[in-house]
Structure formats: structure tokens, C-alpha cells
Amino acid sequence: MDLTVTDVPERSRYEVSADGTVVGFCAYHLIDEGVYALPHVEVDSAFEGRGVGSHLMRESLDHIRERGLKVVPICPFAQAYIKRHPSYTDLVHEG
């Protein structure tokens, strides 16, 4: 399965595609200068448990880091992912 994550700013989300078909997304909203809220992460149920959500979060957070932004993880999946991968805790906005 070939996974690709793409930022789709006109839809305010990162989308993950499996073999060219969108199967999930990580929504974001600019809540302050340089700070994205991550309110919702969703993966098609047919792809759950196959690492698609983790791939989506990793690629999304790496892109956010490259842009010098911070995040407020609201979605429980995003919160859990960051907790399991402490290398991303520096991205969490304090305040």
C-alpha cells in the first residue's frame, strides 16, 4: 500500500491517500499566529489498524515543524500520537 500525505489548505486539512484514493485526513485551523489547532483526525474504517493514521500524523507533524508552526492537539488521536512519540512534544503550543 502506497501512502501519500498532502496538505490541502483550501480544505484546512492534510489528506492521506492509499494508492491514489483519499482514505483519511487531519483537520487543522489557524487559531493564533503560527499555531494550528488539530480538532479531528479520521481514517476510513477499512484502513484502521494498518498504520495509516500514524503515517498521516507523522507526515503532518513533520510538515508543520518544517513550517515553524506549533499545534494544539484537540483530537484524542492526535494527543495520543504525540504522547507516544515525544519527539513531537516541542510542537505543542504552551499557553
Side-chain angles (χ1 to χ4, degrees):
M1 175 171 53
D2 182 33
L3 296 175
T4 306
V5 176
T6 307
D7 183 13
V8 186
E10 62 273 11
R11 298 186 78 185
S12 297
R13 66 190 204 172
Y14 289 94
E15 294 180 344
V16 61
S17 298
D19 301 321
T21 301
V22 175
V23 296
F25 65 90
C26 173
Y28 61 79
H29 302 285
L30 189 65
I31 57 171
D32 199 358
E33 186 163 337
V35 182
Y36 276 170
L38 303 178
H40 187 66
V41 177
E42 185 175 316
V43 173
D44 185 301
S45 61
F47 291 85
E48 288 178 0
R50 297 170 64 185
V52 175
S54 292
H55 184 84
L56 170 61
M57 287 305 306
R58 182 177 56 252
E59 295 289 320
S60 299
L61 292 171
D62 286 348
H63 187 254
I64 288 167
R65 175 177 278 139
E66 289 170 10
R67 296 180 58 206
L69 303 172
K70 298 285 186 178
V71 298
V72 176
I74 297 168
C75 173
F77 184 84
Q79 292 173 358
Y81 184 86
I82 291 170
K83 186 175 183 178
R84 282 191 322 270
H85 299 88
S87 62
Y88 291 108
T89 56
D90 65 305
L91 295 179
V92 177
H93 177 65
E94 301 294 331

